[in-house]
Amino acid sequence: MALRVCGPVTTDRQGRELIEHGTALFPVACYHDRLSETAVPWHWHDEMEILVVESGRTRVSVNGTDCLVAQGEGFFINAGALHGAWPEGEDVCCVRSIVFHPRLVGGSVDSILWQKYLEPLLCDPCRPWVHFPNAQEWEAEASRAIQEAWQAGVSEGEGFEFEVREQLSRLIFLLAKHCPGTEKRPSEKALREGERVKAMLQYIQEHYHEELTLAKIAASAAVSENECLRCFRSMIGSTPLQYVKHVRIQRAAELLAATDRRISDIGAECGFQEMSYFAKTFRELKGCTPGAFRRCSPQPADGA
């Protein structure tokens, strides 16, 4: 199971990630992300995701709730949860993460493992995420399980598949034992709001290079402009147009690092018609000019 580095997130019209994590025979993939250089934008997928912060601190946001995860701490994201991750502070932030399909642990839906442990977790909207700050022994054990599963997957030693599955199974058991469900359910309004935000995020991902207005973004989810603003502030903590700006700059940073194309061409492709505004916005969000960012990035391969 080769180690992968997250690139641009490709999603469908509902914002669901389209990347295949692992294979049909072994549906799990390990990632090593340097969030200081490439943040993980808002997205969701049918798989579960777990992570441990290797260095620095990261801000993980799930369904509109932010959580600060420090070095050595672990984090669980349930299937179907809208999430993203960003570095916190000036320190280099690196994260080891695993994305896996629940059937790797639970088997078929008619197995006792699925029905007793996986299904209650998957069907509980009150548990979209769990933070393991290592304050209690079981939390430290959960973080160790993530670390050991990741290391086994990356090293690919003899029988590593058994080790990966064993550690993931241990993690699911700890969640079932120490994080029971709650009777308090999210309101229909909150669930509906989440679906609307997913639709609007996907519209932005597909049209970020075009002229975007609040009216266009709101229309993509068939809501009013006021409702669009409220949903974004509630779930994401920013306005729609602020989010558009972040998406454009993130895409520009990826192109600057991976290609040798002219900076002005990259700015135009990412929706900036004026070079001065592109440079100003890039500095505002990345702390340096586009040219300086490129000089500090690894050189692209020939023909990139």
Side-chain angles (χ1 to χ4, degrees):
M1 183 171 61
L3 176 64
R4 300 177 64 176
V5 178
C6 280
V9 174
T10 304
T11 58
D12 64 13
R13 293 194 63 80
Q14 285 72 48
R16 180 170 58 183
E17 190 177 33
L18 296 177
I19 294 174
E20 181 179 8
H21 302 282
T23 66
L25 294 176
F26 196 54
V28 55
C30 293
Y31 298 89
H32 187 260
D33 304 315
R34 190 180 176 94
L35 296 184
S36 308
E37 298 175 356
T38 304
V40 178
W42 288 94
H43 67 288
W44 65 282
H45 39 66
D46 292 327
E47 296 86 357
M48 294 175 166
E49 183 168 352
I50 52 178
L51 63 87
V52 167
V53 177
E54 181 183 47
S55 63
R57 297 186 301 168
T58 182
R59 176 171 55 88
V60 183
S61 188
V62 184
N63 288 354
T65 301
D66 283 0
C67 183
L68 188 62
V69 187
Q71 182 174 341
E73 297 179 352
F75 201 84
F76 165 82
I77 302 169
N78 211 341
L82 182 66
H83 61 281
W86 299 266
E88 186 74 15
E90 299 298 324
D91 296 334
V92 173
C93 180
C94 295
V95 172
R96 295 177 173 183
S97 61
I98 304 174
V99 181
F100 66 99
H101 197 283
R103 71 172 182 272
L104 182 65
V105 174
S108 64
V109 295
D110 57 354
S111 74
I112 185 63
L113 296 174
W114 185 278
Q115 295 180 11
K116 185 175 181 179
Y117 299 103
L118 270 301
E119 187 172 6
L121 181 59
L122 290 166
C123 296
D124 186 356
C126 298
R127 287 186 290 181
W129 60 272
V130 179
H131 179 206
F132 308 120
N134 302 336
Q136 303 180 56
E137 176 54 34
W138 79 268
E139 295 173 341
E141 185 177 355
S143 294
R144 286 195 299 272
I146 299 172
Q147 290 272 32
E148 292 177 17
W150 190 91
Q151 193 60 54
V154 171
S155 63
E156 293 189 320
E158 186 177 8
F160 77 95
E161 297 93 343
F162 286 108
E163 178 67 15
V164 171
R165 188 175 65 173
E166 178 183 345
Q167 296 301 332
L168 295 180
S169 298
R170 183 62 181 167
L171 177 68
I172 295 300
F173 171 72
L174 290 169
L175 287 169
K177 181 178 180 180
H178 296 282
C179 298
T182 173
E183 294 182 0
K184 185 179 179 181
R185 316 288 289 184
S187 66
E188 289 297 322
K189 180 181 179 181
L191 295 174
R192 184 172 60 251
E193 182 177 282
E195 293 304 310
R196 288 172 172 172
V197 170
K198 286 180 181 179
M200 289 186 284
L201 290 181
Q202 180 55 22
Y203 178 80
I204 292 171
Q205 291 287 343
E206 292 178 347
H207 300 275
Y208 69 89
H209 55 284
E210 304 172 8
E211 182 181 354
L212 289 179
T213 64
L214 179 61
K216 289 180 179 179
I217 296 170
S220 70
V223 298
S224 68
E225 294 182 27
N226 285 339
E227 180 66 6
C228 173
L229 282 168
R230 191 193 65 77
C231 286
F232 263 79
R233 286 173 176 150
S234 173
M235 293 288 291
I236 295 182
S238 73
T239 68
L241 295 183
Q242 286 173 336
Y243 179 78
V244 169
K245 186 163 62 174
H246 279 271
V247 169
R248 287 171 170 168
I249 292 300
Q250 186 60 41
R251 179 55 180 156
E254 292 162 1
L255 292 173
L256 286 166
T259 76
D260 58 2
R261 296 172 55 189
R262 293 198 310 172
I263 292 176
S264 58
D265 291 342
I266 289 175
E269 180 176 322
C270 294
F272 294 96
Q273 301 307 314
E274 296 182 5
M275 184 61 190
S276 59
Y277 181 61
F278 173 46
K280 176 183 176 182
T281 305
F282 197 97
R283 181 190 289 274
E284 174 188 334
L285 297 183
K286 292 294 185 180
C288 63
T289 65
F293 182 88
R294 168 172 275 172
R295 288 192 293 273
C296 293
S297 301
Q299 292 299 306
D302 292 341

